Amino acid sequence: MKAFSRSMDKVLEKIIDEHEQDVPRQNNQPNDFVDVLLSLLNDCNDSLDEKAFVIDRTNIKAVILDMIVASLDTSSTTVEWTLSELLRHPHIMKRVQKELDGVVGMHRMVDEKDLSSLTYLDMVIKEIYRLHPIAPLLLPRESMEDITIDGYYIPKKSRVIINTWAIGRDPNAWSDSVELFLPERFKDANTDMQGHDFRLIPFGSGRRRCPGIQLGLIVVKLILAQLLHCFDLELPDGMLPSELDMREIFGLATQRVTPLIVVPTYRLRC
Ligand code: HEM
């Protein structure tokens, strides 16, 4: 563990050093997240001001590490569950590819600017988060006052845990076909994932909502669009879609019990 912390510290030091040495960035024009953190480092030297917050190099390393930890598994696990469901539902995978071929064609790769036109892929991603929310229990909350909701009394200072996994499979919130993978259920629905519609809150809601939601959604959508556009994907060794193991590991992040193995075949003409 200590060896890991030391090597991680080296990586973080390198990231900060590179930003500090990158002269064009230092024209009071922050370029990226680390630049913004470094600009705060230089800004808060007013030790007489009690309200001034202090941010030092260690804090910056902690925040960068926090971002790496919070973003990697969440994004990659979303991609893995999406591919799993698409491999179990080949007609839906074909429909995603048809949309991609219509929007992008077969002679170039998907670009970030194409993403807003991929509306069926949006529905697929929402359906993934309904059935496979990556953080099924969100972050724990503490109630600030006594309250009764639907007849349940919750005293002040209770630890409250929101089970988004159960909400996603609740027939009262969705329909009887709640166990089915049906992206079309979002066709005419105005459901967003920003924390306003409590039926679908894979990034949480309120002040502790995921601060990386915009980045996360773009990264996940771009990776999926590129994979599905560039490749036809199949299960290995003639495995049938119905034979794919969909068991989940219960934990802070919902991973697959068995890693997904996929056989890709290139399909573009470029
Ligand atoms: C697509 C993938 C992602 C998913 C599904 C996801 C999901 C979540 C969820 C459910 C929470 C808890 C929210 C709550 O309890 O209300 C959370 C918190 C957080 N996420 Fe994400 N996230 C993703 C990507 C990212 C990215 C890309 C970043 C940063 C670059 C990030 C940074 C964070 C941080 C720092 C917190 C803790 C916020 C706090 O303590 O107040 N996440 N995320």
Side-chain angles (χ1 to χ4, degrees):
M1 195 63 191
K2 276 192 180 158
F4 174 74
S5 320
R6 267 197 302 273
S7 62
M8 200 62 219
D9 195 66
K10 267 192 199 158
V11 174
L12 297 170
E13 283 289 347
K14 189 162 175 259
I15 293 174
I16 296 177
D17 282 348
E18 280 171 3
H19 279 74
E20 283 178 333
Q21 284 155 20
D22 198 347
V23 181
R25 287 167 186 269
Q26 292 175 350
N27 210 5
N28 281 343
Q29 284 278 315
N31 279 343
D32 67 16
F33 188 65
V34 179
D35 291 315
V36 175
L37 291 173
L38 283 170
S39 72
L40 293 173
L41 176 73
N42 299 329
D43 268 4
C44 55
N45 290 333
D46 188 357
S47 53
L48 297 177
D49 181 356
E50 281 181 8
K51 288 190 195 129
F53 56 92
V54 178
I55 179 163
D56 61 18
R57 205 174 168 91
T58 309
N59 299 134
I60 293 183
K61 284 193 278 185
V63 174
I64 301 173
L65 185 60
D66 208 16
M67 292 299 143
I68 294 173
V69 171
S71 59
L72 282 186
D73 267 10
T74 45
S75 308
S76 63
T77 308
T78 307
V79 170
E80 212 179 2
W81 280 117
T82 311
L83 295 183
S84 307
E85 287 291 4
L86 293 179
L87 285 158
R88 286 216 313 159
H89 301 88
H91 64 288
I92 299 180
M93 180 159 7
K94 284 271 164 281
R95 191 159 165 201
V96 174
Q97 288 179 320
K98 198 170 158 204
E99 176 176 68
L100 282 159
D101 299 349
V103 170
V104 187
M106 299 297 278
H107 298 281
R108 65 172 178 91
M109 275 178 68
V110 182
D111 206 288
E112 203 180 315
K113 67 179 176 333
D114 301 312
L115 295 185
S116 59
S117 309
L118 302 170
T119 50
Y120 187 66
L121 184 54
D122 277 332
M123 292 186 232
V124 168
I125 292 170
K126 283 181 186 168
E127 185 67 339
I128 286 300
Y129 279 132
R130 181 183 72 80
L131 284 171
H132 306 283
I134 307 306
L137 300 180
L138 300 183
L139 296 175
R141 271 35 181 203
E142 187 181 277
S143 56
M144 292 164 72
E145 53 192 59
D146 294 346
I147 190 166
T148 302
I149 302 176
D150 262 2
Y152 291 96
Y153 172 62
I154 303 168
K156 183 176 172 176
K157 286 196 152 296
S158 300
R159 175 169 290 191
V160 180
I161 292 175
I162 312 289
N163 188 340
T164 51
W165 190 95
I167 296 172
R169 289 161 192 259
D170 182 353
N172 295 319
W174 300 97
S175 69
D176 289 341
S177 56
V178 76
E179 293 294 333
L180 299 182
F181 182 66
L182 277 182
E184 284 72 12
R185 75 175 78 240
F186 291 103
K187 189 157 184 274
D188 299 314
N190 216 0
T191 320
D192 70 25
M193 290 188 281
Q194 305 289 330
H196 308 126
D197 184 335
F198 292 149
R199 294 182 312 158
L200 193 68
I201 43 173
F203 294 88
S205 182
R207 266 188 274 181
R208 297 300 298 275
R209 187 189 78 159
C210 174
I213 177 169
Q214 306 303 352
L215 178 64
L217 282 173
I218 290 175
V219 167
V220 160
K221 195 171 174 188
L222 188 60
I223 293 173
L224 283 169
Q226 291 189 336
L227 281 175
L228 294 161
H229 187 228
C230 286
F231 301 102
D232 282 319
L233 303 173
E234 281 177 24
L235 291 166
D237 305 323
M239 185 194 284
L240 295 174
S242 56
E243 291 171 345
L244 182 62
D245 182 3
M246 295 294 280
R247 283 175 302 151
E248 303 169 325
I249 300 175
F250 177 76
L252 282 179
T254 318
Q255 311 269 1
R256 290 175 51 80
V257 169
T258 47
L260 182 69
I261 299 175
V262 179
V263 182
T265 312
Y266 191 66
R267 66 189 288 276
L268 291 191
R269 292 186 215 116
C270 64

